[in-house]
Amino acid sequence: ILRHALARLTNQTLARIAYEVVVVDDGSTDETPQVIADAAAGGARVRGVRLDRNQGRSAARNAGIRAVDAPLIVFVDSDILVLPDFLQRHLEIHQAAGRDVVGRGPVASIPSPEIPTRPPLTRISGAYLDTANASIPRQALVDAGMFDEGFRVYGWEDVDLGMRLRSRGLPRVYSAAALAYHVQHPPTVDSFE
């Protein structure tokens, strides 16, 4: 799915020079390095950051934050597909706010990498921060201490960082137009756990 995700992230309405895609490879043992290299060879600004062993979601995200000096970071996961105006929509959130905010958009689950012609109904998440679809000024992340690498259980690292960002006064600004699709195969008896 990463190949599909990168193809969509490198085909945005923003000029290619206006953004860079940084992919953190958290010690993968599959073809992830080649997928990243293929995306970079296509002329897009794609850069891989490789961790020599799996260190977990927090450490991987922190490595990505440290690897860039861009003023705004947009988080998506490797199984998230976006529309061509996705980055533009996140940029608009921050331009309209005129101050540091946490930008959020909806995440719709789809069973395969084919984006539907009509957006499915989405349940609007009340989560302050969900790194499947969020944008935050880089300096605000650094000032808040970034992701706590002590979290090794799925999902709590973004809740924790969100609480710290909120306590620093950053409001969440939600934009339904910043839609992302999570490729999530329907659960089976074997995969449910």
Side-chain angles (χ1 to χ4, degrees):
I1 296 173
L2 177 60
R3 192 175 305 277
H4 295 286
L6 289 174
R8 291 187 161 279
L9 283 167
T10 57
N11 186 23
Q12 293 288 300
T13 55
L14 288 178
R16 282 189 174 183
I17 194 70
Y19 69 98
E20 173 184 36
V21 178
V22 174
V23 183
V24 180
D25 179 348
D26 190 15
S28 71
T29 57
D30 59 11
E31 69 278 358
T32 297
Q34 187 59 52
V35 171
I36 296 168
D38 291 347
R45 293 180 61 201
V46 176
R47 180 164 50 105
V49 172
R50 177 144 173 93
L51 303 180
D52 59 347
R53 63 180 172 75
N54 182 279
Q55 296 178 38
R57 297 159 55 96
S58 293
R61 290 189 179 118
N62 286 343
I65 294 166
R66 285 193 282 284
V68 300
D69 59 3
L72 181 64
I73 294 178
V74 179
F75 290 101
V76 295
D77 293 328
S78 61
D79 56 358
I80 298 293
L81 305 180
V82 299
L83 298 175
D85 65 348
F86 178 77
L87 293 177
Q88 179 64 44
R89 298 300 186 168
H90 272 281
L91 182 59
E92 289 169 358
I93 290 171
H94 294 272
Q95 289 173 333
R99 61 171 289 202
D100 286 354
V101 299
V102 172
R104 286 273 286 116
V107 178
S109 292
I110 55 176
S112 69
E114 288 77 42
I115 301 257
T117 54
R118 291 180 50 196
L121 294 175
T122 58
R123 183 175 51 85
I124 296 174
S125 170
Y128 176 81
L129 177 60
D130 175 353
T131 52
N133 183 354
S135 54
I136 307 162
R138 182 184 184 281
Q139 193 59 50
L141 291 164
V142 171
D143 292 347
M146 302 197 302
F147 291 93
D148 181 341
E149 295 183 20
F151 281 96
R152 299 294 291 180
V153 178
Y154 176 85
W156 292 103
E157 75 286 344
D158 50 0
V159 171
D160 170 68
L161 178 57
M163 290 171 62
R164 286 184 277 128
L165 289 166
R166 182 181 286 166
S167 73
R168 296 180 71 79
L170 275 76
R172 179 185 85 152
V173 176
Y174 186 87
S175 171
L179 174 63
Y181 291 91
H182 181 195
V183 180
Q184 196 170 33
H185 302 291
T188 65
V189 172
D190 295 332
S191 69
F192 188 71
E193 185 179 344

